[in-house]
Amino acid sequence: MLKTAVAGLRAHRLRLLLTSLAITLGVGFIAGTFVLTDTLKAGFSQRITAEADKVAVAVLPRERDPARPGEQAPVLSASLLERLRALPGVTDARGLVRGQAPLLGKDGKAAGDMATSGISVASGPLNRTTIVSGTGPGSDDGAAVLDENTAKTHGFQVGDTITVLDQEKRAHQFKLVGLLDPGVDQELAYTGAVGFTTATAQRMTGEKGFREIDVAGADPARLKRAVAAAADPGAEVVTGAELAGRLARQAGVETEALTVGLLMFGLVAMMVAALVIYNTFNILVAQRTREMALLRCIGATRGQVFGSILIESAVVGVVSSVLGLLTGYGLGAVTMAVLRAYDAPLPTGASVTLSPATIVIGLTVGLVVTVGAALLPARTATRVAPVAALRAQAEEQTFRTGLLRALLAAAFLLAGLGAAGVGALVMDPGQASLFVVMAGGAVTFLGVLILGPVLVRPLSALVGWVPRKLFGVPGRLAVDNSGRNPRRAATTTVALTIGVTLMTLISVVTASTRVTVAAKLDEQFPVDYLLATQDRDSSIPRSVGESLRKRPELAKVVQIRDTTATSGDTPVLVGTFAGPLEPDVTAGSARALAAGQVAVAASVAADLGVRVGDSLPVRTKRAGTVSLKVVALLGDESPLPSLTVAEPEFDRYFGKLPDSQVLVNIKDGVPAGQARKVVDAATAAYPTLKVASSTEVRGEFDETLDMVLMIITGLLGLAILISLLGIANTLSLSVHERTRESALLRALGLTRPQLRRMLSVEALVLGLIGALVGVALGGVFGWAAVRAMIDGASFSVPGGQIALFVALSGLAGVLAAVLPARRAARASIVGSLAAT
Amino acid sequence: MTLTETRRHAPPAVVARGLTKVYGQGDARVHALRGVDVAFATGAFTAIMGPSGSGKSTLMHCLAGLDTATSGTVHIGDVELTGLGDRRLTLLRRERIGFVFQAFNLLPTLTAEQNIRLPLEIAGRRADQVLFDRVIRTVGLRDRLGHRPTELSGGQQQRVAVARALISKPQVIFADEPTGNLDSRSGAEVLSFLRSSVRELGQTIVMVTHDPMAASYADRVVFLHDGELVTELDAPTPQSVLDTLMRLEG
């Protein structure tokens, strides 16, 4: 039987090639994911090992106490550093300083949304900072280094002079002597980093203690015991190797998330590939009915026929998986090259490798999916009766809607849609409800899969309506052909449906999120400009708001002040506001807060367990513990602090603090540019004071969403591509089956272009059916997902995008038909008529 | 003058001059046609006969523009086929030629009526309703029009195919072994129907067959042997056709 299987493979190599391509792409994506993440992991560990090798023992401060959330991060003292330096066997010890040191951009405003981290760069063997160009600060207290990204974003080069603010917001100038690579430190990569000598770092950040003390010396194990004996109680002492392990684990968690995320798309691709293979083998078996019957006639058992199909699929599986692994390696290498070219904050140093685990996983997945998808077709092959060999022609597959199919489909659809409904409408938004909706989606999809063959005819009549009118006889014949073998058409289109469903779902979710967030922003941010410092602390001089209030260009200026206090053991943010602000009151009344009264944010009130009318003890800085009467609850979208009191009361409790936020509204009719100039002028003297405009905030948010949408669409593109291979495959197999039919049409006067058009329209109809079902499913579950994720979400259907998906699916179908159509049109009429 | 006599004087519907067809190259060269000169009269039913391998199917394919001859010319009416591109040939088939094949004449997805109207629709022409009714009546398919080919018997399928060939009033109908797959009764039905369409509608029909019984329905039989036209017979009977064949093969 092996011989017949191999002969079968050889005879159908072209068709099997398309099938293998589907598997190759799927396996390639999965293998590529592993190659990429393995390489990243290797890069991380290379770096980490290189850094940690320099350290014999590291001392880390005790963990932050979860019972005291407000406290500063614990640090190690300078005296400990002195004690460690004096220990026998210690050749060197360095304390690492880290704190805020806002770098000023060339516009004189603090750079970035977050204050730049100021760090110490040790000199000597314990220097763990990677300097990528120039030099480190060495012992020059007037020198500084910047991380590459910040330098690039703000246009600083080695040799420039940079300005950094200290804790008192005083500007200091430094000579930029080099650029550093933040390496695996995600915090530094996020905030940006400016490095100084240890003394300067302490002076600039105001940090007296150290985040870590690195100790150099021989025999780390012995040194660890000595250091542990000298260290403060609670401080953690680890060897360099242990430190590396810990850093590697942190980095590993990140690459793990990337792996899982990418594998989800790989899974979708493999699912689509499985459908394509299932369909191909099904058609091949149908076309070889006589061959199978002949084998049975001459004595092959059912088992042998079954086996020969499985062997065929196994060979296809292995060959395409091997090709897939090579593709994956290529994909991984290309991605790494791209990351390197774009200077991504990821280690790209390690060489790209195909690990044994990747090879095993790739081969297994490819083989299991291929053989698994061929199981049902192989079983069909065993059912061929030997007498079929004697029949003149293979019968067309007929299809009837069985009661069982209808019941099963109805059950799945009801269960799936029901679950989605419960998740979307009944449950509270959150992970659990999202999970229920997604499970409902999967079940519904199974229902559609079962119902597919029933849907094909009516859907092809529906989407075929226009081509029927438009393309004359070829169009009509094409539409009839598309619904001719409903089972085959259904499987072919479902493969495309998967991709389109997910794309529609994602675009509905992003569009709805956009609308929802825009609405929330309007509530939350009912202002044109929001003034706040980088740290969002209460340090905006009151004069800023007061001077703005006098400007004729501005309609409303609201100043908000707040500070932390405690109520019982719970830390709370207490504040007040000055200016025309109508708080969003959910219970009680906040109009004219009197002495001893407080308005509480609804969620905080729930945490504290207070309601309107209760009294709430608050420990204040100046007035001791006061008892405040809750008179109103405020909506959570309010810009006010969690406890709001009257202004004179706030001054009495906490003193005349500066503002923490200033909200500004432009007067109607004043151009935004002019108002912006006024606001910028008022804030120019305060480098860390940032002006956010609502349009900018929305723009940034939109950009982020667009980016996410683009990446996901790109990744789903693979599944779409594979399903197109499926359409091309089905079509070329159908063309093969209909050789004589095409010849007859040509004899009757159908021109070559008309024949080609006929097949293109058939593919168009298949593509549109797949897309339409996908859009319907994606729309429904997109809605359910949005409802399940976001409380009070608005629903928005991006009509343009969805129309584009549908149009592209149709177009893609037409593209998939190009080759089969060419082959059909080229065939000689006489030769094809004679073919059996 | 009778209708038949008028036709006798009309120019022939199909004329082939010095037609040769060579397959393969070098040692594998096969001469399927070796310079055939033949004319098929308008309004006549002509049969092409010959033993297997005599080149009768090739001759028909070349005459109908389904295949191109190696040399020589073919005229359908006043149009010369030789040298026409695929598009022109296709349009010519569409406008001037009807086909009845041995098997697989009908599209399985279309009903009998849709199959019959198919050539007109491909050509974008409207059916002549009077002709349609007449053809349907003659073929006796009135009650089977809504059926698909799989629901029709072999004889019915061939009658649908003949009706389809007639409906576009082609200059000539080529029939390739139209009764090859039929039992003798159904075959006789199809053949009488072909003959009556010549008599009553004035249709020109060229039929390839190897069955002397079938050939006897024709007005004239031309005999092909080894790619050459060897003889012909007017007003054939099954016996005279059989005798001629015996002579040729013997």
Side-chain angles (χ1 to χ4, degrees):
Chain A
M1 285 318 277
L2 186 64
K3 267 188 196 153
T4 45
V6 172
L9 282 170
R10 220 180 271 149
H12 303 106
R13 56 176 175 264
L14 189 73
R15 264 160 274 164
L16 288 171
L17 191 78
L18 281 172
T19 316
S20 348
L21 208 53
I23 290 289
T24 300
L25 288 176
V27 171
F29 188 84
I30 291 177
T33 302
F34 282 117
V35 168
L36 178 68
T37 50
D38 282 352
T39 312
L40 287 179
K41 252 188 242 173
F44 273 123
S45 70
Q46 266 181 11
R47 283 256 184 106
I48 290 163
T49 319
E51 278 185 30
D53 269 355
K54 298 172 181 167
V55 179
V57 172
V59 186
L60 304 167
R62 63 177 170 79
E63 299 274 325
R64 206 185 280 226
D65 186 353
R68 295 161 63 189
E71 85 169 342
Q72 294 271 311
V75 290
L76 300 165
S77 64
S79 62
L80 173 63
L81 179 62
E82 293 311 316
R83 283 208 303 280
L84 294 181
R85 276 189 175 144
L87 282 180
V90 171
T91 53
D92 194 5
R94 298 277 177 167
L96 305 187
V97 178
R98 179 176 295 189
Q100 291 183 346
L103 169 77
L104 295 194
K106 289 192 165 164
D107 58 356
K109 284 287 194 182
D113 288 334
M114 306 274 289
T116 323
S117 296
I119 57 167
S120 60
V121 177
S123 55
L126 275 175
N127 173 21
R128 279 173 53 193
T129 311
T130 318
I131 301 292
V132 287
S133 85
T135 60
S139 56
D140 180 356
D141 285 340
V145 291
L146 266 184
D147 74 284
E148 289 173 286
N149 263 329
T150 308
K152 201 175 183 182
T153 318
H154 294 277
F156 289 118
Q157 282 169 338
V158 174
D160 288 355
T161 300
I162 59 170
T163 310
V164 183
L165 298 183
D166 67 11
Q167 272 325 88
E168 309 303 319
K169 307 257 151 66
R170 284 176 309 229
H172 298 259
Q173 305 217 309
F174 295 91
K175 189 170 153 52
L176 186 59
V177 294
L179 299 180
L180 66 86
D181 179 348
V184 297
D185 193 319
Q186 297 296 318
E187 186 190 338
L188 292 190
Y190 185 56
T191 60
V194 52
F196 311 101
T197 60
T198 307
T200 311
Q202 280 180 323
R203 186 159 55 83
M204 292 301 294
T205 60
E207 298 279 342
K208 295 286 167 271
F210 303 112
R211 287 292 179 90
E212 183 180 328
I213 296 176
D214 292 341
V215 179
D219 195 355
R222 198 187 54 77
L223 212 52
K224 179 181 171 183
R225 282 194 297 277
V227 170
D232 309 328
E236 205 179 347
V237 181
V238 294
T239 62
E242 285 163 350
L243 182 67
R246 182 180 305 200
L247 291 173
R249 264 197 306 285
Q250 285 168 4
V253 171
E254 277 153 28
T255 45
E256 212 87 318
L258 180 67
T259 313
V260 171
L262 286 176
L263 281 184
M264 297 282 275
F265 292 97
L267 200 72
V268 171
M270 283 315 280
M271 205 158 95
V272 174
L275 278 170
V276 169
I277 292 156
Y278 164 77
N279 217 20
T280 308
F281 273 94
N282 239 346
I283 301 175
L284 286 181
V285 165
Q287 288 180 351
R288 283 154 68 192
T289 306
R290 286 177 77 182
E291 191 184 319
M292 303 290 162
L294 187 64
L295 284 173
R296 298 271 286 121
C297 272
I298 58 172
T301 62
R302 277 172 196 274
Q304 282 173 317
V305 170
F306 187 74
S308 80
I309 304 276
L310 284 198
I311 290 170
E312 239 183 88
S313 67
V315 173
V316 171
V318 169
V319 170
S320 44
S321 303
V322 169
L323 290 176
L325 287 176
L326 294 177
T327 312
Y329 181 80
L331 275 178
V334 167
T335 314
M336 287 309 290
V338 170
L339 287 178
R340 216 168 290 150
Y342 283 90
D343 270 339
L346 290 165
T348 50
S351 59
V352 182
T353 46
L354 202 56
S355 75
T358 308
I359 294 175
V360 169
I361 291 174
L363 286 180
T364 312
V365 168
L367 191 63
V368 166
V369 168
T370 318
V371 175
L375 276 178
L376 279 178
R379 208 175 66 119
T380 315
T382 63
R383 294 202 177 145
V384 174
V387 73
L390 309 173
R391 285 190 201 125
Q393 211 186 337
E395 293 155 44
E396 288 245 334
Q397 265 192 351
T398 46
F399 175 80
R400 275 189 204 90
T401 316
L403 184 67
L404 184 69
R405 179 182 291 270
L407 286 178
L408 214 59
F412 272 108
L413 287 181
L414 278 178
L417 291 172
V422 168
L425 299 173
V426 181
M427 294 173 71
D428 284 333
Q431 292 235 309
S433 59
L434 186 62
F435 181 77
V436 169
V437 167
M438 289 300 134
V443 172
T444 309
F445 194 81
L446 283 178
V448 171
L449 200 63
I450 298 169
L451 203 61
V454 185
L455 295 175
V456 164
R457 283 237 170 92
L459 281 177
S460 77
L462 180 73
V463 300
W465 194 77
V466 173
R468 242 176 214 284
K469 301 272 168 218
L470 220 58
F471 296 106
V473 180
R476 256 181 300 154
L477 291 172
V479 175
D480 287 343
N481 281 338
S482 65
R484 188 159 159 182
N485 192 329
R487 206 187 293 260
R488 188 186 291 179
T491 325
T492 309
T493 51
V494 154
L496 181 62
T497 300
I498 294 177
V500 176
T501 301
L502 292 175
M503 283 223 200
T504 310
L505 190 139
I506 295 300
S507 72
V508 165
V509 168
T510 39
S512 301
T513 311
R514 203 184 298 260
V515 174
T516 308
V517 170
K520 293 209 171 188
L521 271 179
D522 279 337
E523 282 175 35
Q524 240 173 48
F525 209 85
V527 292
D528 295 311
Y529 298 111
L530 171 71
L531 277 54
T533 62
Q534 262 179 337
D535 303 328
R536 277 129 195 101
D537 60 356
S538 165
S539 65
I540 310 172
R542 304 222 63 196
S543 58
V544 173
E546 278 152 14
S547 70
L548 284 173
R549 190 165 287 140
K550 290 185 196 123
R551 299 297 309 212
E553 292 90 346
L554 306 177
K556 280 197 273 183
V557 174
V558 177
Q559 292 164 281
I560 296 174
R561 294 187 281 159
D562 52 45
T563 185
T564 45
T566 51
S567 171
D569 282 336
T570 317
V572 287
L573 200 63
V574 184
T576 187
F577 68 95
L581 180 84
E582 284 289 331
D584 168 28
V585 177
T586 59
S589 163
R591 200 154 295 167
L593 287 169
Q597 292 184 338
V598 64
V600 185
S603 60
V604 175
D607 288 347
L608 293 170
V610 293
R611 279 181 293 186
V612 173
D614 291 355
S615 38
L616 186 68
V618 176
R619 192 159 60 227
T620 68
K621 205 166 149 197
R622 294 204 172 170
T625 301
V626 292
S627 180
L628 300 175
K629 187 161 179 255
V630 179
V631 292
L633 298 187
L634 302 183
D636 288 325
E637 264 76 43
S638 163
L640 291 176
S642 35
L643 303 185
T644 304
V645 296
E647 206 178 3
E649 296 302 299
F650 183 81
D651 291 347
R652 194 163 67 78
Y653 301 154
F654 302 100
K656 287 195 176 289
L657 290 177
D659 291 336
S660 60
Q661 292 180 73
V662 179
L663 313 179
V664 177
N665 275 81
I666 307 175
K667 188 168 279 174
D668 283 343
V670 174
Q674 193 186 335
R676 177 78 202 218
K677 269 187 205 130
V678 169
V679 175
D680 280 346
T683 56
Y686 310 98
T688 58
L689 183 52
K690 298 287 235 182
V691 179
S693 88
S694 54
T695 42
E696 277 170 29
V697 169
R698 218 162 288 175
E700 278 165 27
F701 182 74
D702 275 355
E703 267 172 37
T704 314
L705 270 186
D706 284 341
M707 182 75 117
V708 168
L709 184 67
M710 213 171 72
I711 291 175
I712 293 183
T713 311
L715 291 172
L716 285 175
L718 180 72
I720 303 264
L721 186 67
I722 294 178
S723 58
L724 291 185
L725 289 175
I727 293 189
N729 221 359
T730 307
L731 215 59
S732 73
L733 290 163
S734 302
V735 161
H736 177 77
E737 277 176 356
R738 296 190 217 136
T739 307
R740 292 215 292 176
E741 220 174 294
S742 306
L744 176 67
L745 283 167
R746 292 270 292 125
L748 292 181
L750 208 66
T751 59
R752 278 192 178 135
Q754 280 180 316
L755 187 66
R756 276 202 298 268
R757 199 177 312 147
M758 183 180 97
L759 290 164
S760 304
V761 171
E762 184 175 344
L764 173 79
V765 169
L766 286 180
L768 288 180
I769 292 176
L772 227 59
V773 176
V775 164
L777 283 177
V780 169
F781 285 93
W783 168 81
V786 170
R787 291 286 309 225
M789 277 192 297
I790 312 171
D791 198 6
S794 326
F795 178 60
S796 160
V797 177
Q801 259 170 25
I802 288 177
L804 189 72
F805 291 157
V806 174
L808 285 179
S809 305
L811 183 74
V814 172
L815 278 181
V818 167
L819 283 180
R822 255 167 70 117
R823 224 177 53 199
R826 276 193 181 169
S828 117
I829 301 175
V830 175
S832 304
L833 276 173
T836 40
Chain B
M1 267 198 305
T2 64
L3 183 73
T4 325
E5 278 165 348
T6 320
R7 298 258 165 70
R8 284 276 151 77
H9 296 101
V14 183
V15 180
R17 292 277 167 258
L19 211 57
T20 65
K21 177 74 185 177
V22 182
Y23 292 110
Q25 287 186 330
D27 287 347
R29 278 163 80 92
V30 175
H31 288 265
L33 297 176
R34 302 166 185 267
V36 174
D37 291 294
V38 69
F40 297 93
T42 301
F45 184 5
T46 313
I48 303 176
M49 284 214 73
S52 322
S54 60
K56 51 188 191 300
S57 283
T58 307
L59 176 61
M60 194 208 92
H61 291 152
C62 290
L63 294 175
L66 291 175
D67 206 348
T68 46
T70 310
S71 70
T73 60
V74 175
H75 281 84
I76 302 267
D78 51 356
V79 181
E80 186 179 345
L81 262 61
T82 336
L84 288 187
D86 179 73
R87 189 182 150 70
R88 299 283 304 278
L89 273 179
T90 305
L91 295 182
L92 182 93
R93 283 199 303 272
R94 190 191 273 184
E95 300 295 332
R96 303 199 178 203
I97 302 175
F99 286 101
V100 181
F101 297 108
Q102 177 174 3
F104 206 83
N105 259 306
L106 308 177
L107 285 194
T109 44
L110 302 184
T111 63
E113 177 168 357
Q114 286 170 330
N115 263 296
I116 293 172
R117 290 182 186 272
L118 186 61
L120 288 176
E121 293 190 348
I122 290 178
R125 278 154 54 191
R126 288 196 60 80
D128 175 345
Q129 197 55 45
V130 176
L131 179 67
F132 181 82
D133 288 338
R134 191 164 160 199
V135 167
I136 296 304
R137 207 170 42 244
T138 330
V139 194
L141 283 168
R142 177 71 60 196
D143 56 335
R144 315 294 290 173
L145 283 179
H147 289 66
R148 287 183 200 276
T150 45
E151 297 158 335
L152 299 174
S153 72
Q156 286 169 336
Q157 288 187 28
Q158 286 309 74
R159 272 148 60 195
V160 171
V162 175
R164 181 195 60 206
L166 286 169
I167 199 77
S168 53
K169 289 190 277 186
Q171 201 150 15
V172 55
I173 292 177
F174 288 103
D176 189 0
E177 304 273 12
T179 57
N181 276 6
L182 302 181
D183 59 78
S184 55
R185 224 189 98 219
S186 311
E189 260 175 40
V190 170
L191 288 163
S192 353
F193 178 52
L194 283 176
R195 187 166 62 187
S196 66
S197 61
V198 172
R199 302 269 183 278
E200 290 162 28
L201 303 171
Q203 184 62 56
T204 308
I205 297 180
V206 176
M207 172 177 76
V208 168
T209 183
H210 67 276
D211 175 12
M213 193 64 199
S216 70
Y217 281 81
D219 299 323
R220 170 177 167 238
V221 185
V222 297
F223 291 87
L224 220 56
H225 188 64
D226 262 349
E228 282 175 286
L229 200 66
V230 283
T231 182
E232 57 176 86
L233 214 56
D234 273 329
T237 65
Q239 194 55 49
S240 65
V241 174
L242 196 60
D243 290 344
T244 316
L245 273 182
M246 300 286 269
R247 220 173 49 237
L248 283 177
E249 292 190 28

